[in-house]
Amino acid sequence: MKRDFYLSKAKILGLTALLVLLIIGFIVAEVYMLADPGENVAVIVFFSAVILLLIWSLFLLGKNFMEKEANVTVSEDGLTVRGTAGPGFIPWEDIEGMLPYEVHNNEFLGILLKNEADYIESLPKNKRRLAKINLKTGFPAFNIGLSNLKEKKELVNLLVEMQIPFYIPTNNKETPEKSNPPKDKNLPS
């Protein structure tokens, strides 16, 4: 058994269209201000920086759109998580469970590992830095971003069917409750 889960190309196209509109809007505003720069120099510099940031984001979205490999692969041997901060292959025996959470309307499944530090240290420098930032902000080092997955409910259902423990956050952040939710209940939408 092997199941691949891909990023939603439709959502990526929607974000791309939004970014293109924002870039055009900022360029038009900047050209308008360049006609009479006067006191607008700081705003022009700010708009230029925003345009560059939006173009960089557009490039990253384009890379995601062209990606042929699945973002997440579930097999009988383990879980493979690809992407910016993905650790790659993780055997099931190293996975303690999953922690569903949401940040600014973006849904995630945190991957709770028995030997998280070993996985962090084996990463390239840029991925290691991202994993450590996740830890410093109180989240698991490795996550599956559900918001842009095409079949997020199917992924969660498959993990539940495979009896991967889910930890449900309680009021006490230090000790989340361990749970195996029934199929289709308490799942991210």
Side-chain angles (χ1 to χ4, degrees):
M1 182 250 346
K2 181 179 171 191
R3 179 86 193 273
D4 291 326
F5 295 90
Y6 294 88
L7 293 173
S8 169
K9 301 287 186 185
K11 286 184 181 182
I12 293 173
L13 279 176
L15 285 171
T16 300
L18 177 66
L19 278 177
V20 168
L21 289 175
L22 284 171
I23 290 168
I24 290 170
F26 275 99
I27 288 173
V28 167
E30 187 169 15
V31 167
Y32 177 75
M33 284 187 276
L34 283 172
D36 183 25
E39 297 175 10
N40 294 330
V41 174
V43 176
I44 291 170
V45 169
F46 174 74
F47 275 28
S48 297
V50 169
I51 290 168
L52 288 174
L53 180 67
L54 291 173
I55 290 171
W56 178 70
S57 300
L58 190 62
F59 170 75
L60 291 178
L61 272 177
K63 265 180 70 174
N64 280 337
F65 186 79
M66 301 307 249
E67 186 63 51
K68 302 267 188 255
E69 228 174 3
N71 195 43
V72 178
T73 300
V74 178
S75 71
E76 55 276 339
D77 299 323
L79 182 69
T80 303
V81 181
R82 297 171 192 87
T84 308
F89 177 74
I90 308 169
W92 291 120
E93 55 267 10
D94 288 352
I95 297 176
E96 213 171 281
M98 299 290 173
L99 178 69
Y101 66 94
E102 186 176 302
V103 177
H104 301 295
N105 293 327
N106 290 305
E107 298 168 324
F108 296 92
L109 272 183
I111 304 168
L112 304 174
L113 298 173
K114 294 176 184 168
N115 52 353
E116 192 170 71
D118 294 341
Y119 278 90
I120 292 171
E121 291 309 312
S122 71
L123 294 172
K125 188 177 180 180
N126 60 338
K127 285 187 175 191
R128 188 177 329 131
R129 191 179 81 246
L130 290 172
K132 287 181 178 180
I133 289 171
N134 281 344
L135 289 175
K136 283 181 186 175
T137 55
F139 299 108
F142 305 109
N143 305 286
I144 299 170
L146 296 175
S147 296
N148 291 324
L149 277 183
K150 211 186 296 187
E151 300 172 309
K152 60 185 166 187
K153 283 186 179 181
E154 289 82 354
L155 171 63
V156 174
N157 285 336
L158 179 60
L159 293 171
V160 169
E161 284 173 19
M162 295 178 75
Q163 299 182 348
I164 305 302
F166 277 70
Y167 291 81
I168 308 302
T170 62
N171 289 340
N172 180 358
K173 283 188 170 186
E174 299 299 317
T175 55
E177 264 181 50
K178 186 175 179 182
S179 165
N180 266 328
K183 191 172 182 179
D184 289 325
K185 299 254 178 159
N186 299 325
L187 301 178
S189 55

